[in-house]
Amino acid sequence: MFFKQLPSPTTIREVHFKIELLRSLERSHTKTVLIPELRDELYQTVSNNTTRQWITEIFRFLEFCPQEDIREPLEKMLSEKKFSYKLKKKIQKILNFS
């Protein structure tokens, strides 16, 4: 899969490219195949002003995925120290914990 081969974005141009790519893929029938890839993206992408749009777009995508497909990986992220309070709040919102 082409998406999997792309590195985490580091420039705003790369962020915009990946957002457009994700938006085009979300309309496909392979939507659930992307969930593990996006989870990995959240672990690999450094959160900063440049990548914030990309991270937000990943969470937006996950909001519309079936709960049974996202619950376990997102609950695991809640226990990780890697993720900030704000990111954990987004995860809780998706999981309807708030």
Side-chain angles (χ1 to χ4, degrees), residues 7-16 18-19 41-42 44-59 87 90:
S8 294
T10 56
T11 67
I12 197 68
R13 187 177 202 173
E14 291 170 351
V15 166
H16 289 164
K18 287 195 91 166
I19 288 172
E41 277 287 317
L42 289 171
Q44 295 169 5
T45 304
V46 176
S47 180
N48 58 41
N49 287 337
T50 303
T51 61
R52 194 161 292 123
Q53 289 179 42
W54 173 232
I55 293 169
T56 299
E57 187 65 22
I58 292 172
F59 282 121
L87 289 181
K90 288 181 182 189

Side-chain angles (χ1 to χ4, degrees), residues 76-91:
K76 184 176 186 281
M77 286 180 177
L78 286 174
S79 65
E80 299 281 334
K81 290 184 179 182
K82 175 182 178 22
F83 299 103
S84 70
Y85 176 78
K86 285 184 178 182
L87 289 181
K88 286 181 180 182
K89 285 306 244 183
K90 288 181 182 189
I91 293 170

Side-chain angles (χ1 to χ4, degrees), residues 31-42 62 69 73:
K31 187 173 181 177
T32 57
V33 173
L34 289 173
I35 294 171
E37 305 306 322
L38 295 174
R39 181 203 59 222
D40 291 346
E41 277 287 317
L42 289 171
L62 292 173
D69 294 329

Side-chain angles (χ1 to χ4, degrees), residues 2-4 20 31-33 41 53 58 66-67 94 98:
F2 175 70
F3 186 85
K4 186 176 185 175
E20 288 304 313
K31 187 173 181 177
T32 57
V33 173
E41 277 287 317
Q53 289 179 42
I58 292 172
Q67 282 282 321
I94 293 170
S98 51

